[in-house]
Amino acid sequence: MSALDEGHFNVELENGVNLGCTELGIEEEADSIAIQDAVKVLLQGLGEDINREGLRKTPLRVAKALREGTRGYRQKVKDIVQGALFPEAGLDNGVGLAGGAGGLVIVRDLDLFSYCESCLLPFQVKCHVGYVPSGQRVVGLSKLSRVADVFAKRLQDPQCLANDVCSALHQGIKPAGVAVVLQCSHVHFPEIESVLLDSNHQGWVKVLVSSGSGVFDNRNAEEWTDFFSLLKFRGINMEKTNIRGSRNQCWCPSRSSVSAKSSSKTEPVNPVMVTAVASILRSLGEDPLRKELVGTPSCFVNWLMNFQSSNLEMKLNGFVCRRKDSLHPGREVNKKKEICSELNLPFWSQCEHHLLPFHGVVHIGYLGSEGFIPIGKSLLQSIVHFYGFKLQVQERLTRQIAETASSLLGGDVIVVVEANHTCMISRGIEKFGSSTATIAVLGCFSTDPAARAMFLQSIPSAKT
Amino acid sequence: MSALDEGHFNVELENGVNLGCTELGIEEEADSIAIQDAVKVLLQGLGEDINREGLRKTPLRVAKALREGTRGYRQKVKDIVQGALFPEAGLDNGVGLAGGAGGLVIVRDLDLFSYCESCLLPFQVKCHVGYVPSGQRVVGLSKLSRVADVFAKRLQDPQCLANDVCSALHQGIKPAGVAVVLQCSHVHFPEIESVLLDSNHQGWVKVLVSSGSGVFDNRNAEEWTDFFSLLKFRGINMEKTNIRGSRNQCWCPSRSSVSAKSSSKTEPVNPVMVTAVASILRSLGEDPLRKELVGTPSCFVNWLMNFQSSNLEMKLNGFVCRRKDSLHPGREVNKKKEICSELNLPFWSQCEHHLLPFHGVVHIGYLGSEGFIPIGKSLLQSIVHFYGFKLQVQERLTRQIAETASSLLGGDVIVVVEANHTCMISRGIEKFGSSTATIAVLGCFSTDPAARAMFLQSIPSAKT
């Protein structure tokens, strides 16, 4: 029972804020333990030591994040909406439409996240919900957000999420109609085999979906025109929206790469790991045999194996020996020095604390002598990818890139890593829009604030 | 006991999502009841019927929001940080700084909200936290956000909040230093007496504060230069930051207007309402006699009285009789009609469900005949203010403006209200950046989609 006790203790420590699940029931406790066991299997499958410090509590963290991220399975919409319907007179229908009768109400720009049912990665949702009241009743505005959140906190597909939110609100409010528009962004990591070749890889797959009921049932209804008019200046274009119902094309980039690979790739997916993921699905209250979930465990394992600790090892051997002095023996390096830099090198990594992706850009600065031939961008990019495709933390990634770059670039190196962490949005804190920056400085950059400032000021504003 | 039971039942309904406070202990239950009783006193002081549908559950909603918004009083930082310190080797100090030793780590753009200790209104915080690790230990990134949140969820002043977060992190992580920069925005409603005169009223008071410990203790330390370099491109300028410690000037706009008014205004603040607010402070775990809180109850009551239901009544009488046909008797109005509009009329209101401000802009469109003299902007602005300065809901506000404008403008009217609701950020859902749009249409605007579309497309993008 000591494992159980420690687990429980850790939930409280990790949580800090009591988020309502500190006191797990016996059943929830069993589900949490089952997920933790499965995560241990996955970590071992990656060749990791599950007892090393950074990973020791990872199974607990993953279990907690997954259960919280799928709490929508345990919530009832009816309770949320019923308590917040208010009588509101509205205009006489013969004269006009407003208030409790016929006047469109829209809540825009609700930030949500959900879990992709195809690959188990979280995806971000910018949600816009509207409805046309009837029966002289309006609903509390926050309830539109709460209901959307109930369905987002499940394993989802964008169109399915839009449909779920739309019909739940329609049943709950009984309005003249409900309209839902979702802008969904799914992180899209490049394949580890092709990452060095594909320099223009796009980091996100984006999709815009909509769903309508009642007066919004007809996609050409004038109510949709009103709705989109009020979203238009939020950067949404009506013509680009997918129509309800077309769920055949899977948007998930992991899934499409699996099918593309299945013919070429010979390495089979580790069946023990696949079984572990299926058991996680069951512990979350899902049916691993549901049509949309059948391929999910192997898809997730496939993706996870990108971060096997031994990946790209050979490529490292390729560059650690290419030191500058060995490349240019006898060359005089003590001429006037200037700051050279490579900015915005993309990286892709996996947070070892939560098994969730983080990605962003690396900026590398170094001192080059006059007439010095700068190190190729592609070599620095290789170093970045080498340390990225691992179970990582950003601080270590920054240091490792700096150390390796330093051995190539002569000791005076500054490295800045800017990243978006999925674990900052898809867990309790839900800090959409936050970003993290880390710095490593070597040689003169650690002693000369002016050199550091000059490089830092050359970093362009982050793209959003 | 039926009141208690119903209260408890409603907590669950309102909550929907179990946020950890459904099962209140006896003490918490007593605190919640005390707050609810005080809110009833405030509503009665405003001249409201506490049994009308929209207000019936307002005391419960306010109590819940206030207790959740001040949950930081019941949280311990030590528990949050201790569980998430990880060994990270870092670079050898002789060579450079990174990872677990000396490499700056910054988490930027954390959205938080807090309650102003001077006036009890929530204020928004964009929080940037950094630290320099030492002792080969780094902290989980999300903990920086969680710790900041513990202190934000109290009655605060910006500088005090920055100092609290800084010293708590310093004690928890024991790093080489901690830096905190906060961009705070406090909603600033105009005085009801001057709102019609002051057309350039600014809706926000903004302040930028910072706090530093260890290597950041000296405001001229080079570490601050690095820190600000990485915030610079987020629109933050080092020179404009307040220095730690200057807490003498109160930033709160309500407080400064109280002192300005105290000489001119003769009407005394209702002492029963002031006592009720003091009892709320006690129920939240605060000491109403703490120096910074002494004036808070009367300040809050003063602000609340802006929304007394009888306000501005005389001004309404001034404009309801000015109908167009009475202004221009016998004038022919059936010439070729065109859409006239007044866009971006500011409004200020108070959500009757949560006693929290909401504000934004109103766009009014109407049909004017050729040669028609447009209604003055100031008259429409008066109508908007009249219906704004009340306990309101946005749907009703929209309808009321449309009805009154219609009586003046000849029946063909469209009104769009765009608003930011404090209740969407300062309660459980915390949807920073969301906004709400409502529409009312009268006469031809309710039957002619093309006229509606033409007006809606003329509305400019919302300012942020």
Side-chain angles (χ1 to χ4, degrees), chain B residues 413-435:
Chain B
V413 169
I414 180 166
V415 174
V416 174
V417 177
E418 299 190 272
N420 295 305
H421 287 252
T422 315
C423 62
M424 293 291 279
I425 62 149
S426 71
R427 298 184 309 125
I429 66 168
E430 299 198 18
K431 291 301 173 199
F432 298 91
S434 74
S435 68

Side-chain angles (χ1 to χ4, degrees), chain B residues 392-426:
Chain B
Q392 267 288 13
V393 297
Q394 187 177 333
E395 295 87 340
R396 191 189 310 145
L397 174 68
T398 313
R399 171 179 63 80
Q400 289 174 332
I401 292 171
E403 281 178 330
T404 305
S406 165
S407 75
L408 288 164
L409 298 168
D412 299 314
V413 169
I414 180 166
V415 174
V416 174
V417 177
E418 299 190 272
N420 295 305
H421 287 252
T422 315
C423 62
M424 293 291 279
I425 62 149
S426 71

Side-chain angles (χ1 to χ4, degrees), chain A residues 298-318:
Chain A
S298 58
C299 180
F300 182 74
V301 171
N302 229 317
W303 188 78
L304 200 62
M305 292 308 278
N306 278 320
F307 307 97
Q308 223 176 338
S309 55
S310 59
N311 278 332
L312 285 170
E313 206 70 61
M314 293 309 293
K315 292 209 174 65
L316 179 66
N317 292 335

Side-chain angles (χ1 to χ4, degrees), chain A residues 53 57 61 83 87-88 95-97 104 106 108 111 142 226 234 396 418 427 431 435 437 439 441 452, chain B residues 53 57 83 86-88 96-97 106 108 111 142 226 234 396 418 427 431 435 437 439 441 443 452:
Chain A
E53 194 73 27
K57 287 196 279 182
R61 286 188 207 98
E88 204 51 63
V95 188
L97 304 167
L104 184 56
I106 309 176
R108 303 173 290 198
D111 284 315
S142 69
D226 295 351
R234 295 290 194 293
R396 191 189 311 146
E418 299 190 273
R427 299 183 309 125
K431 292 302 173 198
S435 68
I439 309 183
V441 283
R452 217 155 61 217
Chain B
E53 194 73 28
K57 287 195 281 183
F86 301 97
E88 204 53 62
L97 304 167
I106 309 176
R108 304 173 291 199
D111 284 315
S142 69
D226 295 351
R234 293 292 194 291
R396 191 189 310 145
E418 299 190 272
R427 298 184 309 125
K431 291 301 173 199
S435 68
I439 308 184
V441 284
R452 218 155 62 217

Side-chain angles (χ1 to χ4, degrees), chain A residues 19-38:
Chain A
L19 285 165
C21 50
T22 313
E23 294 298 332
L24 297 177
I26 291 173
E27 206 171 315
E28 283 98 20
E29 188 109 34
D31 284 338
S32 174
I33 302 283
I35 297 173
Q36 293 179 47
D37 289 343

Side-chain angles (χ1 to χ4, degrees), chain B residues 431-450:
Chain B
K431 291 301 173 199
F432 298 91
S434 74
S435 68
T436 305
T438 44
I439 308 184
V441 284
L442 275 155
C444 78
F445 285 102
S446 67
T447 50
D448 182 355

